[in-house]
Amino acid sequence: MTLSRVLDIDVAAPPTQPSGARMRAAEPSSGDVFAHPLIPVMTGVAVAVLAAVSIGWAHSLGLISGLWGVCGVAVAVWLRTGRGRRHDVAFATVLMISILIGELIAGYKPMLSLLFALANMVEIIGAVLLARRFAPTLNVSSLNGVARFLICTAALAPIPAGVFASIALAPFGSGDVLETFQTWWFGHALGLAVIGTLGLSLTWSTLARLTRPGALLEAGLLLAGVLAVQFFGLTGRAEIGVAMIPLLLGVAVRLGVAGTAFSLLVVTLLSVGGAMLGYGPHVETLSRSEQVLAAQLQVLVGYMPILLVAALLEERDRLSERARSGQVRAERASEAKSRLLANVAHEIKSPVAGVIGIGNLWSTGQLGPVTPQQTEMADVLVKTARQVEALAHDLLDVARAESGAVKVDLRPTDIPGLLEDVRRAAMLRSEAQSVDVQVVCEGDGLIAVADSQRLAQVIDNLTSNALKYGGSGGRVILRALRADQHIRIEVVDFGPGLSSQKQSQLFEPFNRLGLERSSVEGHGVGLAIAKRLVELQGGAIGVISSPGEGATFWVNLPHA
C-alpha cells in the first residue's frame, strides 16, 4: 500500500521509522536525571519532533512506516519518572498534546491527527499499566523482568491501539485492515521493545563502565562489528542473519542488557530503515512493503531473544557477586568467631586451674580439717571445674581447626596397632565397665597415610561416643578393612541408633541433638573436630545408622 492512496483520503499512515532524534530521546534514561521536573517538558518536545520527522520521512518514501519510536520513548520516560496519579495525569496530558502537535506538523488534518494521537495514547497508557502490573520492579537486567516487560509491554500493548487504528481507518479506504494492523503492531512492538528496554536499562553505573579506556575500546569495536555486518546486509552482498547473531551474543556477554539494547536499536534502524529505502538482500524478489515486513520479523524473531540472554548473564553475574560477598562476610565472621573462641578458652583455663587446685587442697584437708560432707562437695567442685576445663580445650580445638592452625604430619600408619591402643584406653573409661570392646581387622597390609596422633584422637572420640550413646547394646567393634584405594575404619555400636534428621546434624559444632539435659556429659564439638581432622588428612568421615539398629561411624583414609 503506497502513501499516495492514503493521502488521497487524508488518512495518516501508521507510525513511522524514527530518525536520529529518537536516539537522542532515548539517551536521558539513567539514574536521578529522570527525577528532574523539566523531564516531562523535554520529553514532550522530543516526542513532537520525533513524530513529525518520522511521519514526514515515511511520506517522502510513499510508504507506511515500519518502526515507531515515539511510544518507546514515552513509555521509558514515564516508567522512570512516575510518582503518583497527579504526575501520571500531567505526563499523559503533555504526551497527548505533543503527539497531536507532531501529527499536525507532519501535515495531517486535525481530525486525523486527533485520531492517531488517541491511538498512540491508548498504546502508551496500556504499556505503562501492563508494565506496572506484571513487571513492577522494572528490572530488565533479570531474565524474569525483561521477559515480562517484552511480553506485556512490547507484544501486548500495541494490539488494542492497532485494532483501534486499523478499524478507524477502514472507512477512509486505507487498505486491508489486517495489513494495517500488522504494520502498526510490528512497528510499534519494535519501538517499545528496543527503546523501552534501553531506557529502563541505562543507569549511571552502566554508563560509568565506559569511562574505562579498555571497556570503551571494547564497546567501540563491538559496535563497529555490528555496523560492518549490517552494511554488508544492506548492500545485498551477504545474508547477515547467521553472522549477526554471534556478534550480538558477544555484545550480550560483554556489555549486558544496555549494550545489547543499544546494538539492537542500531540494527533495527538500519535494517528497517534500509528496507524502506530499498536496500537489503531481497530487493529483487520482494516488494518494498514485504522487505519492511521481513526486516521487522528478522529483528523481532531472530535478534530480540538475545535480550533474554543478556539479562540472564547479568543476573548470573549479580548472583555470583552476591555469593562472593557472602563468602567473604562468612569467612570474616568465622575468623572472628575462631578468635573469640580461642580468647575465651584461654581466659577460662587459668581461673579453672586455680579452682581445681583449691578444690584438691580442700578435699585432702591441706586447708584445715574437713567433714565428709565438705570432702564430697570439694570433689564435686573439682569434677565440675574439670568439665569446664575440658570445654576450654574443646573450644581451643574448634578454634584451631576452623582457623587452619592445626597441622598434620602424614606418614604410613599401622591401623591395627592404632585401634588396639584406642581399645586399651577405652577400657579404662567408666562407661566401658559392662561393654565388650573388640578390634576386628579384615585382611593384611592395613597401612594408611595419616597423622597417627590426630587419627588416634578421632578414633578415640568415636569410640567414646559409642560407649556413651550406644553402650546399651553391650558391644562396640573397632573394624579395619580395605575399600578400593582406601583404608576404612569403622566404629560400630549396637545402641538405639540415629534418625536421618539427627544424622544430618551430627557434625555441627555444639549440637548435641537434644541431649543437653541428659546425664551423658559432652559439649557437642567432638565430631566437628573429628571431621576437620579427617579432612586435613585427606580422608572422609560419615555415619550409617537406623533407629533401633545401632550406628556405624566410618573413616576413609588413603592407603599407603
Side-chain angles (χ1 to χ4, degrees):
M1 180 175 58
T2 61
L3 180 66
S4 57
R5 182 177 174 185
V6 178
L7 291 180
D8 287 342
I9 55 171
D10 291 328
V11 177
T16 76
Q17 166 84 19
S19 66
R22 186 176 98 180
M23 294 181 62
R24 292 193 297 273
E27 287 173 359
S29 56
S30 57
D32 296 334
V33 173
F34 286 88
H36 199 282
L38 292 179
I39 288 297
V41 178
M42 296 168 60
T43 304
V45 174
V47 164
V49 174
L50 182 56
V53 173
S54 300
I55 296 172
W57 182 46
H59 283 185
S60 67
L61 299 175
L63 291 173
I64 295 176
S65 66
L67 180 63
W68 183 251
V70 170
C71 294
V73 173
V75 169
V77 178
W78 193 339
L79 290 174
R80 293 291 294 266
T81 60
R83 300 192 198 125
R85 185 171 300 176
R86 293 179 61 185
H87 177 274
D88 289 344
V89 172
F91 199 80
T93 303
V94 171
L95 290 178
M96 179 68 182
I97 295 173
S98 301
I99 296 173
L100 184 59
I101 291 173
E103 302 281 352
L104 292 172
I105 294 175
Y108 291 153
K109 291 185 177 181
M111 287 302 299
L112 293 176
S113 298
L114 181 61
L115 173 67
F116 281 110
L118 288 174
N120 277 276
M121 287 307 301
V122 168
E123 179 177 316
I124 293 171
I125 294 174
V128 171
L129 293 177
L130 286 171
R132 288 177 175 176
R133 174 63 179 84
F134 296 103
T137 62
L138 303 179
N139 179 20
V140 294
S141 295
S142 68
L143 179 60
N144 183 57
V146 74
R148 285 170 174 264
F149 180 79
L150 291 178
I151 293 173
C152 298
T153 302
L156 299 181
I159 294 178
V163 171
F164 171 75
S166 57
I167 294 176
L169 291 176
F172 296 94
S174 60
D176 183 73
V177 173
L178 181 60
E179 182 181 354
T180 303
F181 170 74
Q182 177 181 275
T183 305
W184 180 289
W185 187 18
F186 287 170
H188 285 229
L190 276 174
L192 286 169
V194 177
I195 298 180
T197 304
L198 178 62
L200 293 179
S201 63
L202 279 179
T203 61
W204 289 122
S205 60
T206 57
L207 295 176
R209 299 176 191 170
L210 299 179
T211 58
R212 299 190 300 270
L216 185 60
L217 176 62
E218 182 181 45
L221 291 175
L222 288 172
L223 183 58
V226 171
L227 292 173
V229 172
Q230 190 64 46
F231 172 76
F232 279 98
L234 289 177
T235 56
R237 299 177 184 176
E239 181 62 49
I240 66 169
V242 176
M244 183 63 77
I245 290 177
L247 189 58
L248 288 175
L249 286 174
V251 173
V253 172
R254 302 304 303 168
L255 302 181
V257 174
T260 305
F262 182 77
S263 299
L264 286 175
L265 175 60
V266 173
V267 170
T268 304
L269 285 170
L270 293 179
S271 60
V272 177
M276 294 180 69
L277 291 172
Y279 295 100
H282 307 294
V283 175
E284 300 178 356
T285 57
L286 299 177
S287 66
R288 190 72 63 87
S289 59
E290 290 173 336
Q291 292 179 53
V292 173
L293 176 61
Q296 290 175 328
L297 289 176
Q298 185 178 45
V299 176
L300 285 171
V301 178
Y303 303 154
M304 200 60 65
I306 297 177
L307 271 176
L308 302 178
V309 177
L312 179 62
L313 293 173
E314 281 205 16
E315 189 171 18
R316 181 208 62 182
D317 292 341
R318 286 197 305 274
L319 292 176
S320 298
E321 183 60 32
R322 290 178 185 175
R324 285 193 294 269
S325 300
Q327 182 179 4
V328 170
R329 289 194 298 270
E331 290 175 352
R332 290 176 179 172
S334 179
E335 292 175 0
K337 182 189 68 176
S338 298
R339 289 194 299 269
L340 176 62
L341 290 177
N343 291 335
V344 169
H346 281 295
E347 294 297 328
I348 289 176
K349 288 175 64 178
S350 297
V352 166
V355 171
I356 293 174
I358 293 173
N360 286 328
L361 294 175
W362 183 19
S363 65
T364 57
Q366 298 183 48
L367 299 181
V370 292
T371 65
Q373 183 180 9
Q374 290 174 334
T375 301
E376 182 180 357
M377 293 177 60
D379 291 337
V380 171
L381 176 65
V382 172
K383 181 180 179 181
T384 304
R386 291 198 182 278
Q387 291 177 356
V388 176
E389 185 181 39
L391 173 60
H393 286 294
D394 288 341
L395 291 175
L396 276 176
D397 287 339
V398 171
R400 289 167 181 166
E402 292 188 349
S403 65
V406 177
K407 305 299 180 183
V408 293
D409 183 15
L410 301 180
R411 295 182 181 182
T413 301
D414 178 50
I415 300 303
L418 184 144
L419 294 184
E420 182 60 30
D421 292 341
V422 172
R423 187 193 71 84
R424 292 175 181 174
M427 295 303 298
L428 300 176
R429 300 175 185 272
S430 59
E431 300 92 343
Q433 298 301 319
S434 58
V435 180
D436 181 19
V437 182
Q438 304 175 5
V439 174
V440 177
C441 297
E442 301 178 2
D444 299 326
L446 299 177
I447 308 296
V449 178
D451 184 315
S452 59
Q453 180 181 356
R454 297 299 184 182
L455 181 58
Q457 181 181 350
V458 171
I459 305 302
D460 182 71
N461 180 273
L462 297 179
T463 305
S464 174
N465 286 345
L467 292 172
K468 288 190 293 184
Y469 302 108
S472 58
R475 188 159 56 111
V476 171
I477 298 176
L478 308 182
R479 180 185 292 122
L481 64 152
R482 290 283 296 272
D484 296 328
Q485 299 299 316
H486 296 86
I487 298 296
R488 186 180 181 92
I489 304 171
E490 296 179 348
V491 178
V492 185
D493 69 66
F494 299 88
L498 297 164
S499 65
S500 57
Q501 180 181 4
K502 289 184 177 181
Q503 290 178 43
S504 64
Q505 304 171 4
L506 267 177
F507 298 98
E508 296 177 0
F510 306 104
N511 189 341
R512 295 201 62 202
L513 308 180
L515 298 177
E516 292 82 359
R517 298 183 180 180
S518 69
S519 59
V520 181
E521 296 180 1
H523 307 112
V525 297
L527 288 178
I529 296 172
K531 183 175 186 295
R532 180 59 177 163
L533 292 177
V534 171
E535 291 173 347
L536 286 174
Q537 298 174 73
I541 186 172
V543 63
I544 301 172
S545 181
S546 297
E549 299 182 6
T552 298
F553 284 84
W554 56 265
V555 174
N556 283 345
L557 292 168
H559 184 269

